[in-house]
Amino acid sequence: MHPHPLECRKCLANSFIRFEKERKGRVAFFGGSITEMRGWRNMIQDQLKQRCPFTEFDFVDAGIPSTGTTPHAFRMENDVLSRGDIDLLFIEGAVNDHTNGFSPRDQIRGMEGVVRHALTANPHTDIIMLHFVYEPFLQMFPKGQTPDVILNHERVANHYLIPSINCAQEVSERIEDKEFTWKEFGGVHPKWFGHKFYAADIQALWDEMWSLPENCTRQPHEIPAKALDKYSYTNGKFVDLKEARIEKGWSILSSWQPKEKTGTRKGFVDVPMLYSDTPEATFTYSFKGKAVGLFMACGPYSGIIEYSIDGKEFRKPDTFTKWSKGLYLPWLYVLDSELDSQKTHKLTVRISKDKNTKSKGTECVIRNLVINE
């Protein structure tokens, strides 16, 4: 019998009281493709309706494939909080933070950004953090290693006293014990069979933590005065594309589509995009904030951008990713994250004449400008 890998920090009474007593509830599912696909999320929604048959639920499905905690932190306001007060928030990002190569610092800034933003917006929100599994993690657990990304996210859970579930470890142990194979589980995007283990872990956490306390009123969660990282993306938000001042060569397309048949992600096609494929095309953007970035769709024609903040030396990120050949990947480039938020800064972006040899062009497709205030 495998114990469920639960860290039952603090309490989840607020959501339980809300569902049971007030018979209303808004539950958000925030993550990447494992959250977006049909699976544990659907099972958990069904189980909530079974546990609380008289409760009127509003489910916020906010999974976007390929995104980890940095994009989550900047899209939090738009994709989750815009729906109103959240009673229960599920958040996952370990697999994408790892596969997308985000640094340990960014893994904390992203996850803390989400958690602190959620609790600041509504201190009564209960949060459950989930760590899912993919191949590289399976090679670590048998050696007694916990993936660093999970440890980094756990630092945030620990700091804010949020319950968490290390689903990755449990699946790894069951595979080691030959209960099933990785293939039977379904891989990183599990089969229905695999998703049942994720859902069972959440059920186990509820069984452990959901009860009506003595006084039976909702209590605000305490938000630590000091953040783990003062530059965490706690006030991340989208900025209207019209805020960009076009100098030359850019235009806002009202409903962008790729030049040729290529995979896209929902919300990153048939939407307005700030677009150019012309070297030397330039725009500027003035803002106040600690961080500034570009949320882009990076595909087969993606180029190299050159950017400068406050007249400093230009840097040159290549936006052609290792997945770009067949997919317009949603990718958030944080261009600077440690600015003085009291000052007005000026970002200059232009398209480089240089390009990745694998790319077919010098295109730049921007869905959002983002800042962390």
Side-chain angles (χ1 to χ4, degrees):
M1 221 10 224
H2 281 270
H4 291 281
L6 315 175
E7 288 289 345
C8 299
R9 300 178 183 95
K10 207 71 193 261
C11 75
L12 287 178
N14 286 346
S15 53
F16 192 70
I17 293 167
R18 179 103 168 110
F19 302 161
E20 282 285 291
K21 295 255 176 217
E22 299 171 31
R23 296 193 171 174
K24 277 202 177 320
R26 185 171 290 114
V27 184
F29 299 82
F30 202 25
S33 51
I34 306 168
T35 293
E36 192 248 8
M37 70 186 294
R38 185 174 168 270
W40 72 272
R41 174 177 56 86
N42 309 80
M43 296 175 189
I44 288 302
Q45 291 175 358
D46 289 344
Q47 286 165 12
L48 277 169
K49 290 177 200 162
Q50 282 168 9
R51 280 179 183 246
C52 309
F54 304 108
T55 303
E56 190 186 313
F57 284 107
D58 175 27
F59 295 124
V60 181
D61 296 330
I64 296 182
S66 314
T67 57
T69 58
T70 291
H72 293 347
F74 285 97
R75 67 190 186 90
M76 180 86 189
E77 191 73 50
N78 192 71
D79 292 3
V80 177
L81 300 178
S82 63
R83 290 282 289 268
D85 280 344
I86 305 296
D87 299 305
L88 180 60
L89 172 70
F90 289 95
I91 170 74
E92 60 90 6
V95 171
N96 282 334
D97 271 11
H98 190 269
T99 194
N100 293 346
F102 279 83
S103 69
R105 187 196 68 189
D106 289 332
Q107 292 166 6
I108 285 180
R109 285 181 180 176
M111 184 58 92
E112 181 170 49
V114 169
V115 167
R116 201 173 178 93
H117 196 157
L119 291 175
T120 308
N122 175 14
H124 291 94
T125 300
D126 286 342
I127 303 175
I128 297 174
M129 191 183 293
L130 306 168
H131 311 303
F132 294 145
V133 69
Y134 84 135
E135 290 91 331
F137 296 171
L138 291 178
Q139 288 150 25
M140 298 182 198
F141 288 114
K143 298 178 196 161
Q145 286 176 301
T146 299
D148 284 353
V149 64
I150 292 178
L151 295 174
N152 289 328
H153 289 173
E154 280 292 300
R155 279 188 62 199
V156 176
N158 197 43
H159 192 64
Y160 291 88
L161 293 173
I162 287 163
S164 63
I165 308 177
N166 192 344
C167 306
Q169 184 175 343
E170 182 193 7
V171 171
S172 173
E173 286 170 0
R174 287 180 185 274
I175 289 172
E176 279 296 293
D177 290 350
K178 305 215 175 345
E179 284 185 36
F180 49 78
T181 65
W182 179 232
K183 196 176 170 194
E184 286 165 339
F185 182 79
V188 63
H189 298 115
K191 294 175 181 167
W192 195 252
F193 168 82
H195 275 285
K196 284 181 185 169
F197 291 93
Y198 292 164
D201 285 341
I202 296 165
Q203 286 269 51
L205 186 80
W206 283 341
D207 291 343
E208 193 85 15
M209 295 189 72
W210 261 5
S211 59
L212 290 172
E214 296 292 302
N215 55 5
C216 224
T217 58
R218 300 195 300 141
Q219 302 295 329
H221 293 291
E222 207 177 309
I223 303 170
K226 203 163 180 272
L228 281 172
D229 186 325
K230 66 177 179 180
Y231 292 111
S232 283
Y233 309 134
T234 306
N235 299 309
K237 66 173 201 178
F238 288 168
V239 178
D240 193 322
L241 292 173
K242 294 187 184 76
E243 300 266 331
R245 291 195 51 177
I246 294 168
E247 292 191 0
K248 61 172 181 185
W250 291 84
S251 53
I252 294 177
L253 306 179
S254 60
S255 183
W256 174 83
Q257 287 188 330
K259 291 181 182 183
E260 59 184 56
K261 202 165 160 49
T262 309
T264 53
R265 295 289 194 222
K266 197 169 126 200
F268 288 78
V269 65
D270 302 322
V271 294
M273 296 282 196
L274 180 59
Y275 180 89
S276 179
D277 57 3
T278 315
E280 299 292 309
T282 307
F283 73 83
T284 62
Y285 166 54
S286 298
F287 65 97
K288 270 188 171 176
K290 294 178 186 172
V292 65
L294 306 172
F295 205 177
M296 300 172 63
C298 303
Y301 289 84
S302 285
I304 292 170
I305 55 173
E306 301 174 338
Y307 73 91
S308 162
I309 296 173
D310 300 335
K312 293 198 181 81
E313 192 184 338
F314 275 85
R315 293 187 228 164
K316 290 176 64 166
D318 181 355
T319 71
F320 186 88
T321 73
K322 61 181 177 185
W323 297 276
S324 286
K325 200 172 163 205
L327 171 69
Y328 273 92
L329 185 80
W331 197 279
L332 198 145
Y333 291 92
V334 178
L335 305 178
D336 199 327
S337 53
E338 299 184 6
L339 297 165
D340 178 347
S341 60
Q342 302 307 307
K343 290 186 179 156
T344 300
H345 302 281
K346 184 180 176 184
L347 168 69
T348 303
V349 176
R350 67 181 183 221
I351 295 185
S352 175
K353 292 197 278 274
D354 303 330
K355 72 178 207 40
N356 187 312
T357 51
K358 292 179 190 158
S359 175
K360 296 181 185 181
T362 52
E363 172 183 82
C364 189
V365 188
I366 301 172
R367 195 191 77 160
N368 298 98
L369 305 170
V370 302
I371 57 170
N372 180 37
E373 287 178 333

